[in-house]
Short mmCIF file of all heavy atoms in Angstrom, two decimals:
data_model
loop_
_atom_site.label_atom_id
_atom_site.label_comp_id
_atom_site.label_asym_id
_atom_site.label_seq_id
_atom_site.Cartn_x
_atom_site.Cartn_y
_atom_site.Cartn_z
N MET A 53 109.88 121.01 90.28
CA MET A 53 108.76 120.09 90.44
C MET A 53 109.19 118.92 91.31
O MET A 53 110.36 118.56 91.36
CB MET A 53 108.28 119.58 89.08
CG MET A 53 107.77 120.65 88.13
SD MET A 53 106.25 121.43 88.69
CE MET A 53 105.12 120.03 88.66
N ALA A 54 108.22 118.30 91.94
CA ALA A 54 108.56 117.19 92.82
C ALA A 54 107.43 116.18 92.90
O ALA A 54 106.28 116.50 92.59
CB ALA A 54 108.88 117.71 94.22
N TRP A 55 107.79 115.00 93.31
CA TRP A 55 106.81 113.95 93.62
C TRP A 55 106.88 113.66 95.12
O TRP A 55 107.98 113.52 95.68
CB TRP A 55 107.11 112.67 92.85
CG TRP A 55 106.78 112.73 91.39
CD1 TRP A 55 107.65 112.94 90.36
CD2 TRP A 55 105.49 112.56 90.81
NE1 TRP A 55 106.96 112.92 89.17
CE2 TRP A 55 105.64 112.68 89.41
CE3 TRP A 55 104.21 112.31 91.33
CZ2 TRP A 55 104.57 112.57 88.52
CZ3 TRP A 55 103.15 112.20 90.45
CH2 TRP A 55 103.32 112.33 89.06
N PHE A 56 105.72 113.53 95.72
CA PHE A 56 105.59 113.12 97.11
C PHE A 56 104.64 111.93 97.16
O PHE A 56 103.90 111.68 96.21
CB PHE A 56 105.02 114.27 97.96
CG PHE A 56 105.96 115.41 98.16
CD1 PHE A 56 106.16 116.35 97.16
CD2 PHE A 56 106.65 115.56 99.36
CE1 PHE A 56 107.03 117.42 97.34
CE2 PHE A 56 107.52 116.63 99.55
CZ PHE A 56 107.71 117.55 98.54
N ARG A 57 104.66 111.23 98.26
CA ARG A 57 103.70 110.15 98.44
C ARG A 57 103.28 110.08 99.89
O ARG A 57 103.99 110.54 100.79
CB ARG A 57 104.29 108.80 98.01
CG ARG A 57 105.42 108.27 98.89
CD ARG A 57 105.99 106.99 98.29
NE ARG A 57 107.07 106.43 99.11
CZ ARG A 57 107.82 105.40 98.75
NH1 ARG A 57 107.63 104.80 97.56
NH2 ARG A 57 108.78 104.94 99.56
N GLU A 65 105.89 111.80 102.36
CA GLU A 65 107.31 111.58 102.09
C GLU A 65 107.69 112.19 100.74
O GLU A 65 107.03 111.92 99.74
CB GLU A 65 107.61 110.08 102.10
CG GLU A 65 109.04 109.72 101.75
CD GLU A 65 109.26 108.23 101.60
OE1 GLU A 65 108.28 107.48 101.43
OE2 GLU A 65 110.43 107.79 101.65
N GLY A 66 108.75 112.98 100.74
CA GLY A 66 109.27 113.49 99.48
C GLY A 66 110.01 112.40 98.74
O GLY A 66 110.89 111.77 99.31
N ILE A 67 109.64 112.17 97.49
CA ILE A 67 110.24 111.11 96.70
C ILE A 67 111.36 111.63 95.81
O ILE A 67 112.46 111.09 95.80
CB ILE A 67 109.17 110.42 95.84
CG1 ILE A 67 108.14 109.76 96.72
CG2 ILE A 67 109.81 109.39 94.91
CD1 ILE A 67 108.72 108.74 97.67
N SER A 68 111.06 112.67 95.06
CA SER A 68 112.04 113.16 94.11
C SER A 68 111.73 114.59 93.72
O SER A 68 110.57 115.01 93.74
CB SER A 68 112.06 112.27 92.85
OG SER A 68 113.08 112.69 91.96
N CYS A 69 112.78 115.32 93.38
CA CYS A 69 112.66 116.71 92.95
C CYS A 69 113.47 116.89 91.68
O CYS A 69 114.53 116.27 91.52
CB CYS A 69 113.17 117.63 94.06
SG CYS A 69 113.12 119.38 93.66
N ILE A 70 113.00 117.76 90.79
CA ILE A 70 113.74 118.04 89.55
C ILE A 70 113.73 119.54 89.31
O ILE A 70 112.73 120.22 89.52
CB ILE A 70 113.13 117.26 88.36
CG1 ILE A 70 114.01 117.40 87.11
CG2 ILE A 70 111.69 117.70 88.08
CD1 ILE A 70 113.64 116.42 86.00
N SER A 77 118.43 116.57 89.66
CA SER A 77 117.34 115.91 90.36
C SER A 77 117.86 115.35 91.68
O SER A 77 119.06 115.19 91.88
CB SER A 77 116.73 114.78 89.51
OG SER A 77 117.72 113.85 89.14
N ALA A 78 116.94 115.09 92.56
CA ALA A 78 117.26 114.54 93.87
C ALA A 78 116.25 113.47 94.22
O ALA A 78 115.10 113.53 93.78
CB ALA A 78 117.26 115.65 94.92
N TYR A 79 116.69 112.50 95.01
CA TYR A 79 115.83 111.38 95.36
C TYR A 79 115.93 111.04 96.84
O TYR A 79 116.98 111.19 97.46
CB TYR A 79 116.23 110.13 94.56
CG TYR A 79 116.04 110.26 93.08
CD1 TYR A 79 117.07 110.74 92.27
CD2 TYR A 79 114.84 109.90 92.48
CE1 TYR A 79 116.89 110.87 90.91
CE2 TYR A 79 114.66 110.03 91.11
CZ TYR A 79 115.69 110.51 90.33
OH TYR A 79 115.51 110.64 88.98
N ALA A 80 114.82 110.54 97.36
CA ALA A 80 114.84 109.98 98.70
C ALA A 80 115.62 108.67 98.67
O ALA A 80 115.60 107.95 97.66
CB ALA A 80 113.42 109.73 99.19
N VAL A 83 114.01 105.33 97.44
CA VAL A 83 113.68 105.07 96.02
C VAL A 83 114.86 105.26 95.09
O VAL A 83 114.76 104.95 93.89
CB VAL A 83 112.52 105.97 95.54
CG1 VAL A 83 111.30 105.79 96.45
CG2 VAL A 83 112.94 107.42 95.47
N PHE A 87 113.64 104.63 91.10
CA PHE A 87 112.73 105.60 90.50
C PHE A 87 113.53 106.64 89.72
O PHE A 87 114.64 106.99 90.10
CB PHE A 87 111.93 106.32 91.58
CG PHE A 87 110.90 105.48 92.29
CD1 PHE A 87 110.86 104.10 92.14
CD2 PHE A 87 109.98 106.09 93.14
CE1 PHE A 87 109.92 103.33 92.81
CE2 PHE A 87 109.03 105.34 93.81
CZ PHE A 87 109.00 103.96 93.65
N THR A 88 112.90 107.16 88.65
CA THR A 88 113.52 108.21 87.84
C THR A 88 112.50 109.29 87.54
O THR A 88 111.43 109.01 87.00
CB THR A 88 114.07 107.66 86.52
OG1 THR A 88 115.01 106.62 86.78
CG2 THR A 88 114.75 108.76 85.72
N ILE A 89 112.85 110.52 87.90
CA ILE A 89 111.99 111.66 87.64
C ILE A 89 112.44 112.31 86.33
O ILE A 89 113.62 112.34 86.01
CB ILE A 89 112.03 112.67 88.81
CG1 ILE A 89 110.94 113.71 88.68
CG2 ILE A 89 113.42 113.32 88.92
CD1 ILE A 89 110.80 114.62 89.91
N SER A 90 111.47 112.82 85.58
CA SER A 90 111.80 113.52 84.33
C SER A 90 110.69 114.52 84.04
O SER A 90 109.62 114.48 84.65
CB SER A 90 111.96 112.53 83.17
OG SER A 90 110.76 111.83 82.92
N LEU A 98 105.25 116.21 83.90
CA LEU A 98 106.20 115.66 84.86
C LEU A 98 105.95 114.17 84.94
O LEU A 98 104.79 113.74 84.91
CB LEU A 98 106.00 116.29 86.23
CG LEU A 98 106.88 115.78 87.36
CD1 LEU A 98 108.32 116.28 87.16
CD2 LEU A 98 106.36 116.24 88.72
N TYR A 99 107.03 113.40 85.02
CA TYR A 99 106.91 111.94 85.04
C TYR A 99 107.68 111.34 86.21
O TYR A 99 108.63 111.93 86.71
CB TYR A 99 107.46 111.34 83.74
CG TYR A 99 106.83 111.87 82.50
CD1 TYR A 99 107.46 112.84 81.73
CD2 TYR A 99 105.60 111.39 82.08
CE1 TYR A 99 106.89 113.33 80.58
CE2 TYR A 99 105.01 111.87 80.91
CZ TYR A 99 105.66 112.84 80.17
OH TYR A 99 105.08 113.31 79.03
N LEU A 100 107.25 110.14 86.59
CA LEU A 100 108.00 109.35 87.57
C LEU A 100 107.98 107.90 87.10
O LEU A 100 106.92 107.26 87.11
CB LEU A 100 107.42 109.46 88.97
CG LEU A 100 108.24 108.76 90.07
CD1 LEU A 100 109.58 109.49 90.27
CD2 LEU A 100 107.47 108.70 91.38
N TYR A 114 101.64 112.26 94.76
CA TYR A 114 101.26 113.63 94.42
C TYR A 114 102.40 114.33 93.70
O TYR A 114 103.56 114.18 94.08
CB TYR A 114 100.94 114.42 95.68
CG TYR A 114 99.84 113.85 96.53
CD1 TYR A 114 100.11 112.95 97.56
CD2 TYR A 114 98.51 114.24 96.33
CE1 TYR A 114 99.10 112.44 98.35
CE2 TYR A 114 97.49 113.73 97.12
CZ TYR A 114 97.79 112.83 98.13
OH TYR A 114 96.79 112.32 98.92
N ALA A 116 103.94 118.16 92.83
CA ALA A 116 103.91 119.49 93.42
C ALA A 116 104.80 120.43 92.63
O ALA A 116 105.82 120.02 92.07
CB ALA A 116 104.37 119.43 94.87
N CYS A 124 116.01 122.68 93.15
CA CYS A 124 115.71 121.86 94.31
C CYS A 124 116.70 122.21 95.41
O CYS A 124 117.91 122.01 95.25
CB CYS A 124 115.83 120.37 93.97
SG CYS A 124 114.74 119.84 92.63
N TRP A 128 114.53 120.23 100.02
CA TRP A 128 113.34 120.29 99.17
C TRP A 128 112.22 119.43 99.73
O TRP A 128 111.04 119.74 99.57
CB TRP A 128 113.67 119.83 97.75
CG TRP A 128 114.11 118.40 97.66
CD1 TRP A 128 115.40 117.93 97.74
CD2 TRP A 128 113.29 117.24 97.53
NE1 TRP A 128 115.42 116.57 97.65
CE2 TRP A 128 114.15 116.11 97.52
CE3 TRP A 128 111.91 117.04 97.40
CZ2 TRP A 128 113.65 114.81 97.39
CZ3 TRP A 128 111.43 115.76 97.27
CH2 TRP A 128 112.29 114.65 97.27
N HIS A 129 112.55 118.36 100.40
CA HIS A 129 111.54 117.42 100.88
C HIS A 129 110.92 117.87 102.20
O HIS A 129 109.96 117.26 102.67
CB HIS A 129 112.17 116.04 101.06
CG HIS A 129 113.34 116.04 101.98
ND1 HIS A 129 114.51 116.71 101.71
CD2 HIS A 129 113.51 115.46 103.19
CE1 HIS A 129 115.35 116.53 102.70
NE2 HIS A 129 114.78 115.79 103.61
N PHE A 133 108.06 122.95 98.98
CA PHE A 133 106.84 122.90 98.20
C PHE A 133 105.58 123.13 99.03
O PHE A 133 104.48 123.05 98.51
CB PHE A 133 106.74 121.55 97.47
CG PHE A 133 107.79 121.38 96.41
CD1 PHE A 133 109.05 120.90 96.73
CD2 PHE A 133 107.52 121.74 95.11
CE1 PHE A 133 110.03 120.77 95.76
CE2 PHE A 133 108.50 121.60 94.13
CZ PHE A 133 109.75 121.11 94.46
#
Side-chain angles (χ1 to χ4, degrees):
M53 298 293 296
W55 287 100
F56 290 78
R57 68 184 181 187
E65 177 187 18
I67 298 301
S68 184
C69 179
I70 188 167
S77 57
Y79 295 90
V83 305
F87 290 11
T88 302
I89 191 171
S90 62
L98 177 72
Y99 304 101
L100 186 68
Y114 301 91
C124 302
W128 64 269
H129 57 295
F133 293 86

